[in-house]
Amino acid sequence: SITVKNANTYWVDINYYGCNVRDSVTTKLKPLPVFSLGHDTSLCKTDSLLLQPGKNFVSYLWQDGSAANTYLVKKNGLYYVKVTNSDQCAAADSITIGQYASPVVKLSGTTICQGQSAQLNAQSTGNNTYQWQASPTLSSLTIYNPVASPADTTRYKVTVTNELKCSTTDSL
């Protein structure tokens, strides 16, 4: 027996009871599937990532036993897929998905009597940005503690985004 590593024609000559006998075999190298799930990464808790190894394979086998040509990641973990091409050659790849923390927001406010103002407070830790729902009754739309001066009953909504671009929304 021999181990074949290259495409070629291989033969063997033997002497069988005084007769020379020759046989040959031609080997072909079939290409392995080439693809990548990408570099390990992290997502915000509310984000997702669609893994797409490519559509030019005949079969897919994901870590959970599913067989679709794409996989939607919604939480952190190790994801992998084994693909097979039309030559029945297989290859695999994996990706580790981490999860970034979203900012924690504790929105506080008060009842405001007609004609009065009150300061709202979207308390959170870290270096965050604030975006209040557009309202002409707020002193600012981009600070954590704007002054509200509503003319009637009003719902205020704020989206807080951290340095990792993860967001949390709250309202009162």
XYZ file of all heavy atoms in Angstrom, residues 48-123:
569
model
N -28.324 40.584 16.690
C -28.172 39.231 16.151
C -27.151 39.283 15.024
O -26.796 40.360 14.542
C -29.511 38.683 15.659
O -30.020 39.484 14.620
N -26.689 38.112 14.607
C -25.702 38.015 13.539
C -26.071 36.829 12.664
O -26.288 35.727 13.173
C -24.300 37.828 14.123
C -23.160 37.596 13.137
C -22.931 38.844 12.280
C -21.885 37.227 13.879
N -26.146 37.042 11.363
C -26.460 35.969 10.430
C -25.149 35.389 9.900
O -24.391 36.070 9.222
C -27.313 36.495 9.271
C -27.813 35.439 8.291
C -28.750 34.452 8.990
C -28.507 36.097 7.113
N -24.895 34.114 10.239
C -23.712 33.424 9.747
C -24.027 32.840 8.375
O -25.046 32.174 8.201
C -23.301 32.314 10.722
C -22.953 32.772 12.132
C -22.606 31.574 13.008
C -21.808 33.771 12.118
N -23.135 33.110 7.404
C -23.371 32.697 6.019
C -22.085 32.106 5.436
O -21.255 32.846 4.925
C -23.807 33.898 5.175
C -25.036 34.602 5.709
C -25.392 35.803 4.861
O -26.000 35.669 3.827
N -24.979 36.982 5.322
N -21.921 30.800 5.479
C -20.706 30.211 4.913
C -20.658 30.259 3.393
O -19.603 30.101 2.804
C -20.745 28.765 5.405
C -22.145 28.500 5.777
C -22.758 29.820 6.157
N -21.765 30.486 2.735
C -21.842 30.524 1.279
C -22.945 29.596 0.794
O -23.311 28.645 1.478
N -23.456 29.867 -0.390
C -24.579 29.086 -0.916
C -24.137 28.001 -1.889
O -24.960 27.265 -2.401
C -25.575 30.011 -1.614
C -26.240 30.981 -0.675
C -27.233 31.848 -1.399
C -27.897 32.807 -0.421
N -28.893 33.636 -1.067
N -22.845 27.884 -2.161
C -22.378 26.971 -3.190
C -21.980 25.587 -2.661
O -21.213 24.879 -3.299
C -21.209 27.599 -3.954
C -20.104 28.063 -3.020
O -20.337 28.304 -1.852
N -18.905 28.202 -3.538
N -22.528 25.186 -1.543
C -22.242 23.865 -0.987
C -23.497 23.006 -1.056
O -24.616 23.516 -1.110
C -21.738 23.991 0.451
C -20.522 24.881 0.564
C -20.585 26.077 1.249
C -19.326 24.535 -0.037
C -19.482 26.914 1.339
C -18.214 25.356 0.031
C -18.296 26.545 0.723
N -23.314 21.686 -1.034
C -24.472 20.800 -1.156
C -25.061 20.414 0.200
O -26.213 20.001 0.277
C -24.146 19.524 -1.974
C -23.824 19.888 -3.406
C -23.027 18.726 -1.343
N -24.274 20.548 1.270
C -24.845 20.274 2.594
C -24.149 21.112 3.663
O -23.007 21.530 3.503
C -24.760 18.789 2.945
O -23.425 18.404 3.181
N -24.902 21.333 4.751
C -24.457 22.130 5.897
C -24.856 21.379 7.151
O -25.959 20.837 7.224
C -25.146 23.500 5.913
C -24.945 24.285 4.640
C -25.705 24.019 3.503
C -23.992 25.283 4.570
C -25.524 24.732 2.328
C -23.805 26.008 3.396
C -24.567 25.719 2.289
O -24.380 26.419 1.131
N -23.982 21.358 8.140
C -24.323 20.753 9.424
C -23.820 21.677 10.519
O -22.610 21.814 10.731
C -23.712 19.357 9.566
C -24.048 18.630 10.867
C -25.566 18.426 10.994
C -23.316 17.303 10.938
N -24.776 22.334 11.213
C -24.447 23.286 12.277
C -24.323 22.565 13.613
O -24.724 21.415 13.755
C -25.511 24.381 12.348
C -25.530 25.239 11.121
C -26.291 25.075 10.004
C -24.714 26.382 10.874
N -26.003 26.043 9.083
C -25.048 26.866 9.578
C -23.741 27.058 11.610
C -24.434 27.982 9.034
C -23.142 28.175 11.046
C -23.487 28.629 9.773
N -23.805 23.264 14.608
C -23.541 22.690 15.933
C -24.793 22.126 16.584
O -24.711 21.229 17.403
C -22.880 23.729 16.856
C -23.802 24.826 17.372
C -24.190 25.842 16.324
O -23.484 26.044 15.351
N -25.339 26.483 16.515
N -25.964 22.609 16.226
C -27.204 22.116 16.836
C -27.899 21.057 15.974
O -29.013 20.650 16.263
C -28.163 23.278 17.109
C -28.636 23.975 15.845
O -28.141 23.635 14.743
O -29.494 24.858 15.954
N -27.238 20.629 14.898
C -27.808 19.599 14.032
C -28.648 20.144 12.895
O -29.115 19.379 12.056
N -28.856 21.448 12.837
C -29.651 22.023 11.744
C -28.833 21.990 10.450
O -27.612 21.853 10.470
C -30.114 23.434 12.092
O -28.995 24.290 12.262
N -29.541 22.149 9.317
C -28.890 21.956 8.024
C -29.143 23.095 7.027
O -28.974 22.906 5.831
C -29.350 20.630 7.422
N -29.517 24.268 7.504
C -29.765 25.410 6.611
C -28.439 26.000 6.128
O -27.392 25.792 6.746
C -30.580 26.469 7.335
N -28.495 26.784 5.047
C -27.257 27.387 4.541
C -26.881 28.678 5.274
O -25.844 29.265 4.992
C -27.327 27.609 3.027
C -28.365 28.627 2.621
O -29.171 29.064 3.426
N -28.354 29.011 1.358
N -27.716 29.125 6.214
C -27.386 30.244 7.098
C -27.808 29.890 8.516
O -28.599 28.968 8.730
C -28.115 31.546 6.682
O -29.525 31.337 6.759
C -27.718 31.986 5.278
N -27.276 30.659 9.484
C -27.625 30.415 10.886
C -27.721 31.762 11.592
O -26.787 32.568 11.523
C -26.556 29.545 11.556
C -26.986 28.999 12.890
C -27.640 27.780 12.984
C -26.751 29.713 14.061
C -28.042 27.281 14.200
C -27.152 29.221 15.288
C -27.801 28.007 15.354
O -28.205 27.507 16.572
N -28.844 32.011 12.267
C -29.048 33.276 12.965
C -28.616 33.142 14.425
O -29.200 32.367 15.183
C -30.511 33.709 12.887
C -30.819 35.088 13.467
C -30.071 36.185 12.712
C -32.317 35.351 13.437
N -27.594 33.907 14.802
C -27.059 33.908 16.168
C -27.769 34.985 16.962
O -27.805 36.146 16.546
C -25.542 34.180 16.159
C -25.010 34.329 17.573
C -24.810 33.085 15.409
N -28.349 34.602 18.100
C -29.046 35.566 18.959
C -28.458 35.660 20.353
O -28.886 36.482 21.147
C -30.527 35.190 19.067
C -31.265 35.302 17.752
C -32.720 34.978 17.919
C -33.469 35.089 16.617
N -34.883 34.761 16.762
N -27.499 34.785 20.670
C -26.872 34.840 21.997
C -25.421 34.397 21.893
O -24.998 33.871 20.869
C -27.649 33.989 23.000
C -27.706 32.522 22.666
C -28.513 31.759 23.709
C -28.497 30.281 23.406
N -29.157 29.511 24.439
N -24.684 34.618 22.962
C -23.270 34.283 22.947
C -23.075 32.765 22.953
O -23.949 32.007 23.345
C -22.548 34.947 24.120
C -23.068 34.491 25.464
O -24.263 34.287 25.652
N -22.184 34.331 26.416
N -21.907 32.335 22.467
C -21.591 30.916 22.450
C -20.632 30.582 21.325
O -20.150 31.445 20.600
N -20.371 29.278 21.183
C -19.509 28.760 20.122
C -20.410 28.197 19.033
O -21.272 27.356 19.300
C -18.584 27.667 20.659
C -17.732 26.932 19.628
C -16.730 27.877 18.973
C -17.003 25.759 20.275
N -20.215 28.658 17.804
C -21.011 28.218 16.663
C -20.075 27.618 15.623
O -18.989 28.155 15.380
C -21.782 29.403 16.060
C -22.787 29.957 17.045
C -22.415 30.924 17.968
C -24.084 29.479 17.060
C -23.330 31.404 18.897
C -25.001 29.964 17.979
C -24.617 30.928 18.898
O -25.517 31.392 19.814
N -20.467 26.505 15.033
C -19.637 25.904 14.000
C -20.516 25.226 12.964
O -21.670 24.886 13.213
C -18.625 24.915 14.589
C -19.227 23.807 15.397
C -19.619 22.610 14.798
C -19.409 23.933 16.772
C -20.175 21.587 15.544
C -19.967 22.921 17.518
C -20.342 21.748 16.897
O -20.901 20.736 17.638
N -19.920 25.077 11.788
C -20.616 24.433 10.680
C -19.623 23.579 9.900
O -18.448 23.932 9.768
C -21.283 25.466 9.744
C -20.268 26.335 9.040
C -22.190 24.788 8.725
N -20.107 22.452 9.421
C -19.359 21.589 8.508
C -20.092 21.652 7.177
O -21.297 21.416 7.122
C -19.326 20.154 9.021
C -18.618 19.187 8.096
C -18.680 17.775 8.679
C -18.138 16.756 7.706
N -18.292 15.389 8.242
N -19.366 22.023 6.114
C -19.972 22.109 4.783
C -19.369 21.027 3.897
O -18.229 20.608 4.082
C -19.770 23.502 4.140
C -20.419 24.593 4.980
C -18.305 23.800 3.907
N -20.171 20.578 2.931
C -19.727 19.583 1.960
C -19.981 20.135 0.560
O -21.067 20.657 0.293
C -20.474 18.253 2.155
O -20.297 17.817 3.503
C -19.964 17.187 1.205
N -18.990 20.010 -0.313
C -19.161 20.505 -1.678
C -19.634 19.382 -2.606
O -19.834 18.246 -2.176
C -17.888 21.192 -2.192
C -16.705 20.254 -2.321
O -16.836 19.033 -2.348
N -15.517 20.833 -2.406
N -19.799 19.694 -3.874
C -20.329 18.724 -4.834
C -19.378 17.557 -5.086
O -19.791 16.520 -5.589
C -20.679 19.414 -6.153
O -19.521 20.032 -6.681
N -18.098 17.700 -4.723
C -17.139 16.596 -4.840
C -17.136 15.710 -3.592
O -16.302 14.829 -3.464
C -15.730 17.156 -5.061
C -15.558 17.792 -6.426
O -16.106 17.245 -7.403
O -14.880 18.833 -6.512
N -18.059 16.002 -2.666
C -18.176 15.274 -1.397
C -16.973 15.499 -0.475
O -16.681 14.669 0.394
C -18.415 13.775 -1.625
C -19.723 13.478 -2.350
C -20.928 14.113 -1.651
O -21.143 13.897 -0.463
N -21.693 14.906 -2.383
N -16.289 16.609 -0.667
C -15.209 17.005 0.229
C -15.802 17.942 1.288
O -16.672 18.760 0.978
C -14.100 17.705 -0.537
S -13.285 16.643 -1.743
N -15.330 17.812 2.518
C -15.905 18.581 3.625
C -14.845 19.431 4.317
O -13.663 19.073 4.349
C -16.560 17.652 4.635
N -15.294 20.540 4.881
C -14.457 21.423 5.693
C -15.340 22.038 6.770
O -16.564 22.074 6.640
C -13.814 22.509 4.841
N -14.717 22.515 7.835
C -15.477 23.090 8.954
C -14.816 24.386 9.410
O -13.634 24.611 9.192
C -15.543 22.098 10.105
N -15.621 25.224 10.049
C -15.122 26.451 10.651
C -15.983 26.762 11.868
O -17.121 26.273 11.980
C -15.168 27.621 9.665
C -14.377 28.840 10.158
O -13.464 28.666 10.998
O -14.665 29.962 9.708
N -15.438 27.557 12.772
C -16.191 27.934 13.977
C -15.966 29.407 14.273
O -15.028 30.026 13.780
C -15.756 27.086 15.175
O -14.400 27.360 15.502
N -16.864 29.946 15.093
C -16.771 31.334 15.529
C -17.303 31.409 16.955
O -18.290 30.753 17.286
C -17.554 32.278 14.580
C -17.357 33.753 14.962
C -19.020 31.906 14.523
C -17.925 34.727 13.938
N -16.622 32.179 17.782
C -17.084 32.399 19.154
C -17.721 33.786 19.219
O -17.118 34.776 18.795
C -15.919 32.308 20.151
O -15.354 30.989 20.065
C -16.387 32.569 21.574
N -18.942 33.821 19.737
C -19.683 35.074 19.861
C -19.790 35.414 21.351
O -20.287 34.620 22.140
C -21.110 34.949 19.265
C -21.054 34.471 17.809
C -21.865 36.262 19.400
C -20.406 35.420 16.842
N -19.297 36.591 21.699
C -19.430 37.085 23.062
C -20.623 38.033 23.138
O -21.271 38.326 22.138
N -20.910 38.510 24.346
C -22.048 39.417 24.501
C -21.634 40.636 25.317
O -21.116 40.511 26.420
C -23.208 38.710 25.181
C -24.483 39.522 25.171
C -25.645 38.709 25.692
O -25.630 38.277 26.837
N -26.636 38.504 24.857
N -21.855 41.818 24.739
C -21.609 43.068 25.439
C -22.792 43.370 26.350
O -23.929 43.035 26.040
C -21.470 44.236 24.457
C -20.254 44.202 23.564
C -20.377 44.439 22.209
C -18.989 43.960 24.067
C -19.268 44.443 21.370
C -17.878 43.954 23.250
C -18.023 44.197 21.901
O -16.931 44.198 21.082
N -22.501 44.044 27.420
C -23.561 44.451 28.344
C -24.241 45.714 27.827
O -23.593 46.628 27.318
C -22.979 44.711 29.726
N -25.546 45.743 27.936
C -26.301 46.952 27.608
C -26.336 47.838 28.838
O -26.261 47.351 29.965
C -27.724 46.588 27.196
O -27.710 45.861 25.993
N -26.456 49.148 28.662
C -26.518 50.020 29.833
C -27.794 49.762 30.630
O -28.840 49.437 30.075
C -26.536 51.429 29.234
C -26.933 51.266 27.816
C -26.552 49.880 27.412
N -27.665 49.883 31.926
C -28.818 49.756 32.815
C -29.327 51.161 33.087
O -28.562 52.033 33.495
C -28.432 49.043 34.139
C -29.603 49.004 35.090
C -27.915 47.644 33.842
N -30.617 51.370 32.843
C -31.195 52.703 32.999
C -32.279 52.654 34.056
O -33.116 51.751 34.064
C -31.818 53.196 31.672
C -32.428 54.569 31.849
C -30.779 53.209 30.581
N -32.239 53.617 34.946
C -33.292 53.760 35.951
C -33.881 55.150 35.747
O -33.335 56.148 36.212
C -32.723 53.596 37.353
C -33.784 53.610 38.426
C -33.192 53.347 39.793
C -34.287 53.331 40.829
N -33.765 53.094 42.160
N -34.975 55.183 34.995
C -35.609 56.451 34.657
C -36.512 56.885 35.801
O -37.340 56.106 36.273
C -36.416 56.299 33.370
C -36.975 57.550 32.736
C -35.871 58.540 32.416
C -37.723 57.174 31.469
N -36.315 58.107 36.245
C -37.166 58.604 37.334
C -37.694 59.985 36.974
O -37.059 60.750 36.268
C -36.380 58.657 38.651
O -35.276 59.531 38.541
N -38.852 60.236 37.422
C -39.494 61.524 37.176
C -40.578 61.717 38.218
O -40.638 61.003 39.211
N -41.437 62.635 37.966
C -42.461 62.950 38.941
C -43.705 63.444 38.224
O -43.679 63.711 37.025
C -41.939 64.029 39.921
O -42.912 64.237 40.930
C -41.634 65.330 39.208
N -44.754 63.563 38.968
C -45.958 64.191 38.433
C -45.694 65.688 38.363
O -45.164 66.288 39.305
C -47.166 63.907 39.350
O -47.342 62.494 39.415
C -48.415 64.569 38.816
N -46.068 66.286 37.231
C -45.836 67.718 37.049
C -47.195 68.410 36.954
O -48.051 68.030 36.163
C -45.036 67.981 35.758
C -43.729 67.158 35.762
C -44.748 69.464 35.577
C -42.989 67.162 34.443
N -47.372 69.386 37.777
C -48.613 70.159 37.735
C -48.570 71.122 36.553
O -47.498 71.589 36.150
C -48.808 70.933 39.035
S -49.025 69.843 40.449
N -49.757 71.417 36.023
C -49.864 72.290 34.863
C -49.168 73.623 35.127
O -49.332 74.223 36.189
C -51.332 72.514 34.511
C -51.527 73.208 33.192
C -52.995 73.243 32.792
O -53.872 73.035 33.603
N -53.243 73.516 31.519
N -48.335 74.021 34.141
C -47.624 75.288 34.266
C -46.312 75.175 35.013
O -45.615 76.173 35.179
N -45.960 73.981 35.494
C -44.705 73.809 36.238
C -43.726 72.959 35.427
O -44.078 72.387 34.400
C -44.966 73.163 37.595
C -45.785 74.040 38.527
C -45.922 73.420 39.906
O -45.713 72.235 40.085
N -46.285 74.253 40.871
N -42.520 72.878 35.948
C -41.466 72.079 35.319
C -40.904 71.093 36.329
O -41.024 71.297 37.548
C -40.325 72.978 34.827
O -40.797 73.882 33.865
N -40.276 70.028 35.801
C -39.601 69.056 36.665
C -38.420 68.474 35.892
O -38.438 68.397 34.666
C -40.549 67.945 37.078
N -37.418 68.092 36.665
C -36.247 67.511 36.037
C -36.405 65.995 35.963
O -36.715 65.333 36.955
C -34.983 67.863 36.822
C -33.720 67.492 36.085
C -32.518 68.180 36.702
O -32.412 68.309 37.910
N -31.606 68.627 35.846
N -36.225 65.436 34.756
C -36.228 63.987 34.553
C -34.805 63.498 34.752
O -33.842 64.253 34.615
C -36.712 63.650 33.140
C -38.071 64.223 32.743
C -38.411 63.811 31.320
C -39.147 63.771 33.708
N -34.640 62.218 35.059
C -33.304 61.695 35.308
C -33.215 60.268 34.792
O -33.899 59.381 35.294
C -32.994 61.750 36.808
C -31.533 61.481 37.087
O -30.836 60.870 36.293
N -31.081 61.945 38.238
N -32.369 60.056 33.799
C -32.109 58.717 33.259
C -30.774 58.245 33.828
O -29.741 58.310 33.181
C -32.064 58.756 31.738
N -30.798 57.782 35.064
C -29.567 57.372 35.745
C -28.993 56.112 35.098
O -29.703 55.138 34.870
C -29.835 57.095 37.220
C -30.232 58.305 38.014
C -30.510 57.953 39.460
O -30.797 56.819 39.805
N -30.439 58.955 40.325
